[in-house]
Amino acid sequence: MIHALLAAAGIGAFALSHPGLFSGSGIPLIAWIQYVPVLSLVARSRWRHVWLWGGAYGTGSFALYAFWMFRSHFIGFIVVICSYFFFYALLFLALKSTTVFFPRQWTLVAWLLIVSAEYIRTIGFLGFHYGVTGYTQWQFPRLISVSRITGVWGVSALVILCSVLVFRIGGSLYRAVADFSEQRFRQPFSDSAHGRCPETRWWHRAARSGKTVAREQGALLALCALFVGAVWYAGRIPYQSDEFPAVRVAAIQNNADPWLGGLSAYHADVATLMEVTDRALAADTAIRLVAWPETAVVPSVLLHYANRHDRGRFELVRQLLEYIDQKDAVFVIGNDHAELDRDGRRTDYNSALVFTPRVNTVPPHPDRYTKQHLVPFTEYFPFPERFPWLYRKLRLGNTHLWTPGHECTVFHAAGLHFATPICFEDTFGDDMRRMVLNGARAFINLSNDAWSKSRACQNQHVAMAVFRSVENGVPTVRSTASGETCIIAPDGRIIERLPPFVAGSVIGDIPALPADMRLTFYTRRGDWFPHLCMLIIGVLGCGRGIAALVRKKRIR
């Protein structure tokens, strides 16, 4: 029974700390003790059961966290919860093994292992950044400033370290009280008969027990002090945003899922985008850049302008281009770009098109970026020949399969050097820092989370976008179909924000950072922190293995 309660407590803490089913913005304080029931469950479980509890924890946590996937992308939802069943089953087995190989330092090693595991589950084809512990603190710019040095992993490490420290100190107090109770109430007469005081015997046992954990607790406290010092130091590093001229931008939110309906719906969506844009430009004539959401325009602009067989789509594209050409601001729009090969076979790309009026608009020759990091199973499936049945099911389901791009394009327009990460891409720190290394000094993110019909999903996404700005020290402009459309300062503050599920615009200034700006440590070094954690685990494991071999030789 106690194991089930601990598992439920761990699942509940995970779900409550993040934006999710129970809280639209999350309860960040809970994250600081989130892993206490997890460590207790691992410590109490037997070897033959611990992996099952791990699988149950992973499945339950992500089922509550990513509940919005159930009604929108059922196949993706099943893939996520199944993959995390196996992932956390292995993690719990690894945590259990640390109690054997590192009996005196196992919580310290467990901390390194959990931080490393959070990083490992974000890499590869199934990499999924949603649910990383550090993102729970997205509303505290001063705290997350350490991300400029360590990335989000430093924030995760600090929050998880608090759980480990609470568990370790709480466990020591529990054992001390249990020893005292046992000696006080179960053996008072036998101790008195031999002339021993129960309190004295308990005191000596507690002292011996304290010596075995004092070093580990000291190390944990020293690590806490180190991280607090890093947060203080990172918070004192000045941002460069105030030193450079500002550029006025407008991010448009049309509150519509562009993939619902046919040609008439596409016309209605573009008409809404034009109407909202006109209101924004009329309210502020200083706007120099306008951003529309991901696939805001579904018909391929370049394909239907060149091939006019579908008159309805051509007319929509023609009206759009004429509208943009009459404005004075640069337009960044999301488009389902398509190309035909010599045999007439069509290839689709999820793209961002950048138009400068009276320069590359009519006829259209926009600068273009193609989304590189596509969502597994809903936007991209690399094994159509190996699993044809699954590929056919995906094609028939609620998916839009695209071909990934391979070039990290940086645009130079409206006085800005900017990249246009599309939706899922801004959840990956390493992808975004490569854009900055390539010359981007601002992110114009185009997203569509309207399909989720969930404010929690949108807050989970914007939480990660906040970290991308802090990690790289650059501003972010988010234009989304239904939320969260906002402007994020380089220090992680959301300076302008539009409520979800309404049509409107966000207007604000972002700094025009120069190409020779000073890059953050994270931008230059990437995910060095989790790599260091994995290296330490490897060194400790090798050291323990060598020590065991030496002892065996001495015994022989």
Side-chain angles (χ1 to χ4, degrees), residues 53-76:
W53 289 117
Y57 171 80
T59 299
S61 297
F62 281 87
L64 289 178
Y65 173 85
F67 66 94
W68 36 267
M69 292 183 66
F70 178 81
R71 58 175 176 243
S72 303
H73 293 291
F74 182 72
I75 294 178

Side-chain angles (χ1 to χ4, degrees), residues 50 65 138 161 164 263 269 286 290 351 377 385 396 490 512 540:
V50 69
Y65 173 85
W138 64 285
L161 184 60
V164 172
L263 182 60
D269 289 343
V290 175
S351 297
F377 296 100
E385 294 84 8
L396 295 173
L540 291 175

Side-chain angles (χ1 to χ4, degrees), residues 256-279:
D257 187 344
W259 294 102
L260 295 181
L263 182 60
S264 60
Y266 302 156
H267 275 277
D269 289 343
V270 171
T272 301
L273 288 162
M274 291 178 178
E275 180 184 350
V276 175
T277 302
D278 283 338
R279 290 202 300 266

Side-chain angles (χ1 to χ4, degrees), residues 141-184:
R142 186 60 183 267
L143 172 63
I144 67 176
S145 62
V146 74
S147 301
R148 302 172 72 180
I149 302 171
T150 63
V152 66
W153 315 111
V155 181
S156 287
L158 177 59
V159 175
I160 296 169
L161 184 60
C162 183
S163 287
V164 172
L165 194 56
V166 169
F167 169 78
R168 193 44 152 161
I169 294 175
S172 298
L173 292 174
Y174 172 80
R175 283 191 296 273
V177 172
D179 282 348
F180 175 77
S181 300
E182 180 181 357
Q183 296 301 319
R184 179 76 175 175

